[in-house]
Amino acid sequence: MAEIVVDADTQDAERLSFRVRVAGDSSETTHEVTVTRADFERLAREDENGTQFIRRCFEFLLEREPNEAIMRTFDVSVIKTYFPEFEEEIAS
C-alpha cells in the first residue's frame, strides 16, 4: 500500500483544506483536497478528525486506482461522481 501523508492546510466556517502526499510504488503525487464542514460532519466517524477522514478517503481511492490517476485538486464531494458507493462505504 502507498504511504499517505495528510497535512491540514486551512480551515474556515465552511470548508477544511488539506495537502496530501502519496508515495506509490512508482511515483509520488501531491493533492490539494477540500471538504465542506457539512460533508465532514455527515461522513466522518464520530471520533475522527479531518486528517484521519481524508486519509480514509485516499485509502478508498487507492483501492480503486493508482495515485497518478487521482485528481491533483478536488473536493471530497466529487468522489461519489466516479465511485457511487463512496459515501455509503466511507460513512460506515
Side-chain angles (χ1 to χ4, degrees), residues 35 38-45 48 53 56 76 86-88 90-92:
V35 61
D39 281 346
F40 174 73
E41 290 171 9
R42 185 171 57 85
L43 298 171
R45 294 177 178 157
E48 195 167 48
F53 172 71
R56 279 196 316 114
V76 166
F86 170 71
E87 287 192 358
E88 182 177 335
I90 208 74
S92 62

Side-chain angles (χ1 to χ4, degrees), residues 13-78:
E14 302 286 321
R15 187 171 307 279
L16 308 171
S17 299
F18 302 88
R19 179 162 291 151
V20 181
R21 184 180 57 81
V22 181
D25 293 333
S26 60
S27 70
E28 185 174 304
T29 55
T30 304
H31 310 267
E32 300 291 329
V33 184
T34 58
V35 61
T36 64
R37 286 195 181 270
D39 281 346
F40 174 73
E41 290 171 9
R42 185 171 57 85
L43 298 171
R45 294 177 178 157
E46 193 172 312
D47 60 342
E48 195 167 48
N49 65 36
T51 57
Q52 292 166 327
F53 172 71
I54 295 298
R55 179 180 181 75
R56 279 196 316 114
C57 292
F58 269 80
E59 289 169 352
F60 173 92
L61 291 169
L62 290 166
E63 288 175 359
R64 290 156 179 80
E65 61 187 357
N67 60 311
E68 299 90 356
I70 299 172
M71 293 180 288
R72 297 303 189 260
T73 304
F74 66 95
D75 187 86
V76 166
S77 64
V78 303

